[in-house]
Amino acid sequence: MAHDSHEYIPEIAVDRNGNEHVVQGWQGDNYGGKLGFWLFMLTEVMMFGAMFMVLTYYFTLHHADFIKASSELDRTLGGINTVVLLISALTMGLGLLKMRSGDVKGAKLMIWATMLLAVIFLGVKALEWTNDYKEGIFLGLQGLQSGNEFSKPFGEILFFGMYFTMTGLHGFHIIIGIGLMLWLLKRINSGKVTPEHNILHFNIALYWDLVHLIWVFVFPYFYMTGAGAIHG
Amino acid sequence: MSKSYFDETHCAFGHPKSTFMQWMLTVDHKRIGIMYAVVMFTFFFVAVAAALTMRFELFAPGQQFIDAHTFNQAFTLHGVIMVFLFIIPGIPAVFGNIVMPLMIGAKDVSFPRLNWFTFWLYIIGCIVALSSLFNFNIADGKLVFNFADTGWTFYAPYSLNTDTNVVTALVAAFILGMASILTGLNFLVTIHRLRAPGMDFFKMPLFVWGIYATAWIQLLATPVVGITLILALLEKYFGIGIFDPSKGGDPVLFQHLFWIYSHPAVYLMILPAFGIMSEIIPAFSRREIFGYHTIALSSASIAGVGYLVWGHHLFTSGMSDTAKTIFSFLTFFVAIPTGVKFYDWVATMYKGKIVLATPMLWALGTMITFAIGGLSGVTIAMIGADIHLQDTYYTIAHFHYAMLGGVVFLFFAGIHYWFPLVFGKMYNETRAKLAFYILFIGFNLLWFPMFIAGYYGMPRRYFDYLPEFQIYHQISFWGAIIFVSGLIFMFYTLIQGIRKGKPCGVNPWNATTLEWHLPSSPPPLENHTKVPYVDFRPYEYYHGQPVVKFDENMKRID
Amino acid sequence: MLEGFGSRAATFTADIDHALWINLVLSVVLFLSVIAPMLYFAWKYRESNVKDENIENIIHHTGLEITWTLIPTLMLAVFFWYGYTTMRTLRTMPDAASSITVAVQGKKWSWDYTYAANANGFVHKTNDLFVPVDQNVILEMRAPLNDVIHSFFVPAFRMKEDVVPGRLTKQWFNSTVIGNYDVECAEYCGTRHSYMLSKIHVIDRATYDAWFNSDAKAPAGFEVKMSKGQEVFEGNGCNGCHSVTTDAILVGPSLMGIGEKKDAQYIKDSIVTPDKVIAPGFSAGVMAPFTLSDEDMKALIGYLKDGK
Amino acid sequence: MANHTTVDYKKERGNYYKVLFGLLALTALTFIQPSMFLTHYTFGMQMLIGTLKAWIILMYYMHLKGEVLIGWTVVFAVFLVLFFFVIVMIDVNNFQFADVSHITSPAQ
Ligand code: HEA
Ligand code: HEA
Ligand code: CUA
Ligand SMILES: [Cu+2]
């Protein structure tokens, strides 16, 4: 957006009766920035939506296999991550509140907290993938290849294929989120983001909520679909 | 006006002294539009060259001068460039950038720097696409032509099996898709936020409506193809299995995903083109457009329904018959709003004063060619008919009539229409009209025979064909020669116009919309001197003269 | 025109032509409904013919607008109906008991057909499809899992359906006219896509029965003299990629005179494990491994070595 | 909702905690549902709870409440995805020759 040193002075348009109307310029258009970011997030919705569609396509074809595969995932670790993300959404939100109420220092603290939780999330994820690997479930391992003695049924291969794809891409979004937060801190420190000009902070908070939102569906789809299978 | 950021430097960053760097870093929407045009136009000729290569090769059955593999790469190159590098960015990137902000009385798009970034993202996409042309063989230091040979549709599993540079091509398509998304996003926010005071949605010029509907498609359909390409890459490198039949993956699913984007993409191409038509017809009929509201809303409904009909590309793919029926049914619903537009345009000519200047000639010519393209689309939307015609030259003829005879022709119409706006000069109209006639004749000679060949069973993407089809290919060949000659002549005329054209003032066509009310031509940096207040309809004429007039401070004086 | 294209050879051909014909007539009507007034207005209201005062700004006419929405909609309903009913005809498989079912395999870049076992338990495998006239034929189409999508297209019958690796797809037809009809591959499948051709020979019932119940290679009138080795070579589709009679490179290297350059073991390895040794200038993974019986292998190597 | 007006931190914080609590409760529900109730509809129930959570996040954390324009764009996108789902599901539920196709019945 505009360099703050050149404050934008809105223009006035005059209609035929001499009434004055303020013109919205592109400079300093907070609402425009927010709208733009929401539109960007819709593209994420479409991307993950398409992946969920692929997943559901195969779920329909291989119902039993999917439930079996799902019951093999570690629900405890998945659950921990769900709670971690939940809390991180809170800290992010509180950070923004603090920023808007003028408490820049508190806001920075909250961003750090969010980042910490994000790293924990990634750590748990890494642990989980390692466990999967040890159990022979990983892309490229024999179990997920076709035509050998360890080959899993199609439904399970496809389930895990999408599991690694989608949790992987979700994790990638977390990493990007961390990057964005670091950048945000830098902008706050250099005074580019202030309680009055907080659109960047606002949008990054939105992004983080979106990442959380995606998880809200990824988690039950992969981890909980087969949960009933054990209890009968 | 007070000093603003924009006066000091209209660049993404820094204050470059050299003109060259000022262009490279510019955030001015008009300059970015012009740069898009130059780049596209260059690629466009590469694709034309590939097309001509194909036509030469197909002159007679058997091998002429390239082998089958090279031929397959040629039509892939042709399709990929035409679609991803040329026609999808096409009108939005060029005229959406240059005139859309002018039409709504804005000083620029909502995110000028994002616009700059998008342009360079597009360039990166182009470079990646180019890099996929060749393999560098380190051993003997030779460049080997190794472009993808999958067709622009990249169908799995072929695209996963071939050892040509499919991966780079996919990455290029992904990057270009990102650029397209960002363009759409920028325009959506611009149209929502930066309209001049008083201009509500139903006071916008119809080109802006076209861009608006298009932007929604860019924004919401492109991510689907993006993720499809990513899934294909993951499939290739990590074997996730979803497109690999030996792991239970279904190749037909790839086609679903691909067309969920690529069908809306064809409306993404045509809607802004229809917008140009809606500008030209009233301007050269010297009267107000007929059925403004229905034209505007039909753009929106074409975009909306267009999302739901992708399956008409899968009529012979093994998809279920139930789905075929649904898709066929829905497809026809796109034709209705399109028809409404056509009738509205014709009705606009009724009791007008038809000025057959070059842009109008192009517009009327396109009515003919696109009607043929669209009606042939309706033919293949009939399932039973498409079972016979799918993947034949009939389809090829359909979409060239729609894309070349619809989109590109209207692009040309737009070029001739807005040429004086951008350059402040006029090309030689006699020559430009002559170029139109050559192109129009060449075009029909080139593509019409293909309808017949297709009906008789000539499959597409055939390097060689049964001798029965030779006559059609030969007529096409001569058509192509005439067409390309006309093309060269047209560009020659335009370039002469840039160099030596006569200055023509700000509103040579007597048009009404805001982009013709600029203080000077070419337009100054921040567009209109003042933002006008808009409480009038976009195409108000009285006795053949524009009703709305402004003084130099954009105050109404009529 | 392809052989038999105009003879409306299959039972449903005329239906589809009829649908296309209706579409054509209505399309011309729709086309003219736009273009005729357009040309007329362009002439009638040409610049030199209109005074500025006579221009009228008509922007609305409810009656007309309803007309040009409703009438085309009705026509579109007609199109849909014809498309739908012809599709039903094409896609409703006849009763299997009264039909001949042939397994079709489409692979890079040849078609082959496997019939059900005859009374003697003999299974016919051919590269051209032989069917009796006036007979329902069901095609069960498959492609090898590591192959790509093809499409079985018979222009003369107006029928087509993709052959998808991992799926089974079906088509049917009943030809009422004796003749030879071209089969083309209509889904792009790589370098030799345009050469992936075959023929359907519709023959009279007696000839067909005589052939089917024998173990002859082809029905009377269609015999081709071929050595056993050549038969194996063409039956497996090797000729899709290799030329033996010329030095042309199709997809794989020409095998002309390979017998002089290489020994039997090398040739055998090249067939059973093609990726072990890659011929210079070619890449691995293109040629899939073939498993042949010993007898076939011997004949094939013999054929490659001395052309017999 | 203009976002540069200053806010009363203390007051708003309360809302955030309430939302957090609701989400935690729903998460707990996620875990007990498969063994507690409607166990034959686990998948549907899970998605329902997910939708509920998503709704809360959208409305309160992402401040969609009262946003007319942005709200409609979101609705539009979500509907589009749902349409894609419906059509593709109709197709896959009518999968042709599933009993003899390799990918659906590998024995074939
Ligand atoms: C600009 C691009 C563009 C446009 C606008 C269209 C417009 C349409 N297309 Fe086309 N199409 C393509 C580009 C385009 N298409 C491409 C690139 C392919 C092939 C891709 C590939 O496989 O490589 C394709 C393929 C394609 C197929 C699949 C063919 C196959 O592979 O077998 C089908 C099938 O239904 C189809 C239908 C339609 C229809 C119904 C319209 C409608 O929108 C047309 C509406 C227009 C009119 C109807 C004409 C004008 C109106 C009147 C004259 C008024 C009166 C008429 C009526 C009311 C009917 N198209
Ligand atoms: C926009 C899309 C577009 C355009 C304009 C064209 C133009 C041409 N195409 Fe097309 N074509 C495709 C898109 C297009 N094509 C696609 C998608 C395919 C399918 C590929 C596949 O199967 O995968 C195809 C396939 C295709 C085939 C079939 C190959 C096969 O299946 O075997 C053939 C055969 O002749 C062909 C020939 C031509 C010819 C001779 C032209 C000539 O008319 C070219 C002349 C050029 C022009 C008329 C354009 C002029 C425009 C400008 C100069 C732009 C100026 C720009 C600015 C000022 C910014 N094309
Ligand atoms: Cu097989 Cu094309
Ligand atoms: Cu389409």
Side-chain angles (χ1 to χ4, degrees):
Chain A
M1 310 301 119
H3 282 299
D4 304 306
S5 45
H6 304 280
E7 198 51 64
Y8 169 67
I9 301 156
E11 240 188 271
I12 305 291
V14 183
D15 68 19
R16 291 223 274 187
N17 306 326
N19 301 323
E20 299 193 336
H21 302 264
V22 180
V23 176
Q24 176 65 57
W26 58 267
Q27 300 93 331
D29 180 10
N30 257 319
Y31 187 83
K34 187 161 115 186
L35 177 64
F37 199 78
W38 267 99
L39 293 178
F40 166 74
M41 293 201 296
L42 295 185
T43 69
E44 298 270 3
V45 171
M46 299 309 287
M47 281 209 199
F48 275 90
M51 282 193 279
F52 274 115
M53 198 175 82
V54 171
L55 193 61
T56 313
Y57 190 90
Y58 290 120
F59 191 19
T60 319
L61 291 180
H62 305 280
H63 210 86
D65 288 351
F66 260 54
I67 291 188
K68 166 136 194 312
S70 164
S71 70
E72 285 167 24
L73 289 179
D74 191 333
R75 232 163 293 132
T76 320
L77 290 183
I80 293 177
N81 260 351
T82 306
V83 176
V84 168
L85 264 194
L86 240 169
I87 298 175
S88 79
L90 175 83
T91 51
M92 192 56 152
L94 291 182
L96 181 61
L97 273 186
K98 291 201 167 175
M99 173 62 80
R100 284 166 57 190
S101 64
D103 177 5
V104 178
K105 215 161 149 209
K108 273 162 57 179
L109 211 65
M110 281 298 172
I111 295 172
W112 279 112
T114 315
M115 262 194 298
L116 183 70
L117 288 165
V119 173
I120 294 178
F121 180 94
L122 288 176
V124 174
K125 189 91 256 168
L127 179 67
E128 211 186 321
W129 279 24
T130 326
N131 289 344
D132 291 338
Y133 186 87
K134 286 193 194 126
E135 282 163 34
I137 307 172
F138 207 75
L139 296 173
L141 294 188
Q142 276 178 320
L144 299 190
Q145 303 284 12
S146 60
N148 62 59
E149 51 185 313
F150 303 103
S151 290
K152 293 180 174 294
F154 285 170
E156 295 194 35
I157 296 182
L158 294 166
F159 178 92
F160 287 117
M162 280 317 279
Y163 164 75
F164 286 112
T165 304
M166 291 180 70
T167 54
L169 281 178
H170 181 263
F172 182 66
H173 278 78
I174 301 258
I175 295 173
I176 301 233
I178 297 178
L180 285 174
M181 283 184 254
L182 284 172
W183 183 52
L184 174 62
L185 284 174
K186 195 170 155 264
R187 300 284 289 184
I188 296 178
N189 284 339
S190 59
K192 298 270 167 53
V193 173
T194 61
E196 292 78 37
H197 285 271
N198 57 29
I199 183 74
L200 185 70
H201 194 168
F202 189 87
N203 282 344
I204 291 177
L206 276 182
Y207 173 87
W208 197 249
D209 285 328
L210 180 83
V211 173
H212 182 195
L213 206 67
I214 291 167
W215 185 256
V216 163
F217 289 101
V218 169
F219 173 70
Y221 208 123
F222 282 107
Y223 293 80
M224 301 309 294
T225 307
I230 290 165
H231 307 280
Chain B
M1 216 200 93
S2 69
K3 235 171 178 273
S4 78
Y5 163 71
F6 218 52
D7 288 322
E8 306 246 308
T9 163
H10 44 282
C11 287
F13 43 80
H15 303 255
K17 290 277 177 314
S18 79
T19 321
F20 178 74
M21 283 317 282
Q22 279 174 357
W23 273 84
M24 294 299 104
L25 297 177
T26 185
V27 295
D28 177 19
H29 64 102
K30 299 177 290 295
R31 289 190 162 191
I32 289 180
I34 292 172
M35 292 204 294
Y36 268 117
V38 171
V39 178
M40 266 178 210
F41 161 83
T42 315
F43 279 111
F44 175 77
F45 271 97
V46 178
V48 173
L52 279 183
T53 314
M54 289 192 284
R55 291 265 44 107
F56 267 104
E57 174 56 42
L58 290 171
F59 189 73
Q63 180 170 348
Q64 313 308 313
F65 67 103
I66 55 172
D67 62 17
H69 184 59
T70 315
F71 179 86
N72 296 341
Q73 293 173 310
F75 70 67
T76 308
L77 183 67
H78 170 76
V80 166
I81 293 190
M82 283 296 190
V83 172
F84 292 112
L85 270 64
F86 171 59
I87 201 167
I88 285 185
I91 298 175
V94 176
F95 290 127
N97 260 319
I98 297 179
V99 293
M100 185 271 285
L102 295 174
M103 281 179 152
I104 61 174
K107 300 275 174 197
D108 205 317
V109 293
S110 264
F111 308 114
R113 289 209 225 164
L114 183 67
N115 205 14
W116 171 83
F117 174 74
T118 308
F119 172 73
W120 287 100
L121 199 62
Y122 168 76
I123 298 294
I124 293 174
C126 293
I127 292 172
V128 177
L130 281 184
S131 77
S132 76
L133 281 175
F134 298 101
N135 264 8
F136 187 66
N137 195 334
I138 303 175
D140 52 8
K142 267 197 211 126
L143 275 181
V144 190
F145 184 69
N146 198 26
F147 191 70
D149 65 340
T150 57
W152 80 280
T153 48
F154 296 115
Y155 275 12
Y158 188 80
S159 55
L160 305 172
N161 294 354
T162 172
D163 59 358
T164 49
N165 293 342
V166 175
V167 170
T168 358
L170 290 180
V171 173
F174 182 79
I175 297 175
L176 294 166
M178 293 275 289
S180 178
I181 292 176
L182 294 177
T183 307
L185 188 155
N186 214 338
F187 288 174
L188 280 176
V189 179
T190 307
I191 294 172
H192 270 292
R193 299 294 295 161
L194 301 188
R195 276 168 290 128
M199 181 187 270
D200 59 35
F201 261 67
F202 288 103
K203 291 202 184 73
M204 297 192 310
L206 288 163
F207 179 69
V208 181
W209 268 97
I211 292 286
Y212 183 70
T214 303
W216 274 111
I217 303 178
Q218 289 177 304
L219 187 83
L220 292 186
T222 321
V224 179
V225 78
I227 198 69
T228 311
L229 302 177
I230 289 184
L231 289 175
L233 291 176
L234 291 176
E235 177 71 69
K236 189 152 181 138
Y237 285 123
F238 298 104
I240 54 176
I242 58 169
F243 301 133
D244 178 354
S246 70
K247 293 180 183 167
D250 188 354
V252 176
L253 183 60
F254 181 92
Q255 300 175 22
H256 270 301
L257 289 168
F258 181 82
W259 289 111
I260 284 180
Y261 165 70
S262 296
H263 179 77
V266 312
Y267 297 119
L268 184 168
M269 309 165 189
I270 198 72
L271 286 174
F274 283 167
I276 295 181
M277 183 87 105
S278 307
E279 295 300 320
I280 291 179
I281 299 274
F284 295 89
S285 301
R286 298 282 191 265
R287 53 157 283 188
E288 185 154 2
I289 197 155
F290 186 99
Y292 172 89
H293 282 75
T294 49
I295 295 186
L297 293 177
S298 67
S299 291
S301 54
I302 291 173
V305 181
Y307 277 115
L308 309 178
V309 306
W310 74 86
H312 62 219
H313 298 269
L314 281 75
F315 284 161
T316 65
S317 66
M319 179 175 76
S320 71
D321 294 340
T322 323
K324 286 176 202 165
T325 310
I326 297 173
F327 280 124
S328 169
F329 186 75
L330 290 174
T331 299
F332 290 110
F333 281 95
V334 186
I336 298 168
T338 315
V340 168
K341 272 185 194 289
F342 269 70
Y343 291 114
D344 282 337
W345 290 325
V346 173
T348 303
M349 294 167 67
Y350 178 67
K351 298 212 164 166
K353 176 173 179 172
I354 315 293
V355 183
L356 280 184
T358 323
M360 187 64 167
L361 267 185
W362 276 103
L364 297 186
T366 309
M367 291 261 249
I368 299 176
T369 49
F370 187 79
I372 298 176
L375 289 166
S376 62
V378 172
T379 310
I380 47 184
M382 296 165 64
I383 318 174
D386 189 55
I387 288 178
H388 174 54
L389 296 172
Q390 137 85 209
D391 272 335
T392 64
Y393 265 60
Y394 192 94
T395 314
I396 299 276
H398 154 63
F399 71 70
H400 281 93
Y401 262 93
M403 294 209 280
L404 187 52
V407 183
V408 177
F409 272 21
L410 282 169
F411 201 161
F412 291 164
I415 290 177
H416 286 97
Y417 181 53
W418 283 308
F419 184 94
L421 174 103
V422 174
F423 297 106
K425 294 177 185 169
M426 189 61 93
Y427 44 84
N428 181 328
E429 277 236 62
T430 325
R431 285 199 194 151
K433 285 183 193 167
L434 181 64
F436 163 76
Y437 287 112
I438 300 176
L439 279 162
F440 189 77
I441 292 168
F443 174 85
N444 286 294
L445 210 56
L446 167 55
W447 299 109
F448 205 83
M450 294 198 187
F451 281 124
I452 303 166
Y455 169 68
Y456 283 146
M458 169 74 215
R460 67 191 278 200
R461 297 173 173 173
Y462 260 31
F463 159 72
D464 196 356
Y465 51 85
L466 297 165
E468 286 87 345
F469 300 113
Q470 185 174 11
I471 176 73
Y472 309 107
H473 284 289
Q474 289 187 344
I475 301 175
S476 276
F477 172 82
W478 292 114
I481 297 292
I482 299 178
F483 189 92
V484 172
S485 324
L487 198 66
I488 293 170
F489 184 56
M490 185 185 87
F491 274 96
Y492 169 78
T493 309
L494 288 173
I495 289 170
Q496 285 296 313
I498 299 177
R499 293 177 51 204
K500 301 189 191 143
K502 284 199 205 64
C504 60
V506 282
N507 188 2
W509 307 122
N510 252 343
T512 52
T513 38
L514 282 183
E515 85 271 25
W516 299 107
H517 293 289
L518 288 161
S520 68
S521 171
L525 187 57
E526 287 211 287
N527 306 345
H528 299 95
T529 33
K530 295 273 288 173
V531 176
Y533 183 81
V534 180
D535 54 358
F536 45 88
R537 296 190 301 277
Y539 309 102
E540 285 185 32
Y541 278 101
Y542 181 71
H543 284 178
Q545 289 302 320
V547 170
V548 178
K549 297 193 184 68
F550 294 97
D551 69 8
E552 63 279 8
N553 278 321
M554 293 308 280
K555 252 191 103 164
R556 289 274 299 266
I557 48 170
D558 49 279
Chain C
M1 221 193 275
L2 295 175
E3 183 180 344
F5 188 89
S7 65
R8 305 213 157 160
T11 44
F12 43 63
T13 310
D15 294 343
I16 294 161
D17 275 1
H18 182 60
L20 280 167
W21 185 245
I22 290 178
N23 172 271
L24 180 66
V25 172
L26 291 186
S27 292
V28 171
V29 171
L30 285 168
F31 178 76
L32 290 179
S33 75
V34 173
I35 301 308
M38 178 195 95
L39 291 177
Y40 176 68
F41 293 162
W43 170 78
K44 174 88 189 294
Y45 304 112
R46 62 190 181 276
E47 203 177 355
S48 54
N49 215 20
V50 179
K51 288 205 198 66
D52 277 351
E53 308 86 81
N54 297 337
I55 300 176
E56 281 184 44
N57 286 311
I58 307 161
I59 57 171
H60 197 54
H61 189 289
T62 314
L64 268 179
E65 287 175 302
I66 291 178
T67 316
W68 70 47
T69 315
L70 275 189
I71 293 182
T73 308
L74 288 179
M75 293 191 181
L76 291 173
V78 174
F79 292 161
F80 169 73
W81 182 250
Y82 275 93
Y84 173 70
T85 49
T86 45
M87 184 272 278
R88 296 298 309 168
T89 318
L90 282 160
R91 301 295 313 152
T92 311
M93 297 300 141
D95 176 26
S98 63
S99 321
I100 297 180
T101 303
V102 183
V104 178
Q105 179 175 248
K107 66 175 198 328
K108 280 180 187 166
W109 285 277
S110 63
W111 296 102
D112 54 59
Y113 308 95
T114 310
Y115 289 75
N118 66 15
N120 311 326
F122 182 80
V123 175
H124 284 283
K125 289 191 178 200
T126 59
N127 287 112
D128 279 4
L129 182 63
F130 299 98
V131 294
V133 69
D134 292 324
Q135 165 72 51
N136 288 340
V137 180
I138 299 179
L139 305 175
E140 293 192 341
M141 311 190 294
R142 288 193 180 82
L145 284 186
N146 57 358
D147 212 273
V148 303
I149 306 175
H150 306 273
S151 190
F152 191 89
F153 177 28
V154 191
F157 297 171
R158 322 282 191 268
M159 63 186 254
K160 168 188 305 130
E161 179 82 357
D162 285 5
V163 183
V164 186
R167 281 193 176 216
L168 177 108
T169 53
K170 292 188 188 183
Q171 289 197 95
W172 79 281
F173 65 89
N174 181 335
S175 174
T176 54
V177 182
I178 290 179
N180 310 304
Y181 305 100
D182 287 292
V183 176
E184 298 174 314
C185 176
E187 183 63 55
Y188 175 68
C189 53
T191 311
R192 297 199 36 94
H193 165 56
S194 61
Y195 296 103
M196 195 166 156
L197 308 171
S198 175
K199 288 254 184 203
I200 296 180
H201 302 287
V202 178
I203 57 183
D204 67 80
R205 163 81 52 186
T207 322
Y208 176 81
D209 283 343
W211 167 70
F212 186 70
N213 292 318
S214 73
D215 57 4
K217 292 273 161 306
F222 292 97
E223 300 89 348
V224 215
K225 281 267 165 288
M226 250 195 228
S227 68
K228 170 87 177 147
Q230 186 177 4
E231 218 168 72
V232 175
F233 190 76
E234 289 179 8
N236 282 296
C238 313
N239 55 334
C241 302
H242 298 286
S243 170
V244 242
T245 46
T246 68
D247 59 3
I249 294 170
L250 303 180
V251 173
S254 157
L255 298 182
M256 189 168 70
I258 183 139
E260 285 131 49
K261 286 179 263 170
K262 305 279 165 82
D263 59 11
Q265 189 57 41
Y266 177 89
I267 297 179
K268 191 171 169 195
D269 287 347
S270 300
I271 298 166
V272 182
T273 50
D275 286 351
K276 218 163 78 187
V277 185
I278 305 295
F282 295 86
S283 35
V286 179
M287 175 172 165
F290 286 82
T291 7
L292 302 175
S293 68
D294 288 349
E295 190 193 344
D296 284 359
M297 184 60 86
K298 232 176 105 199
L300 177 62
I301 294 174
Y303 170 68
L304 291 177
K305 271 190 143 356
D306 50 46
K308 281 206 207 95
Chain D
M1 181 188 275
N3 56 357
H4 43 256
T5 49
T6 45
V7 290
D8 182 355
Y9 176 69
K10 290 251 167 54
K11 208 174 115 232
E12 297 265 330
R13 187 181 58 182
N15 292 337
Y16 270 71
Y17 280 119
K18 268 186 226 147
V19 174
L20 175 79
F21 183 75
L23 289 174
L24 279 173
L26 284 173
T27 310
L29 198 63
T30 305
F31 271 92
I32 57 173
Q33 180 274 332
S35 48
M36 291 287 283
F37 57 95
L38 289 166
T39 45
H40 287 284
Y41 304 99
T42 300
F43 180 71
M45 288 310 293
Q46 291 290 332
M47 288 300 124
L48 198 73
I49 302 174
T51 313
L52 220 67
K53 285 172 80 175
W55 180 259
I56 297 178
I57 297 174
L58 276 170
M59 284 302 137
Y60 297 100
Y61 278 179
M62 301 174 88
H63 310 289
L64 256 196
K65 222 175 168 178
E67 285 282 4
V68 180
L69 174 63
I70 296 179
W72 280 111
T73 64
V74 175
V75 169
F76 180 53
V78 171
F79 258 90
L80 212 56
V81 177
L82 286 182
F83 265 116
F84 293 170
F85 259 77
V86 169
I87 300 181
V88 174
M89 287 315 122
I90 292 176
D91 180 33
V92 68
N93 276 303
N94 289 286
F95 197 96
Q96 284 177 352
F97 314 117
D99 47 339
V100 280
S101 280
H102 176 78
I103 54 172
T104 39
S105 318
Q108 289 294 316

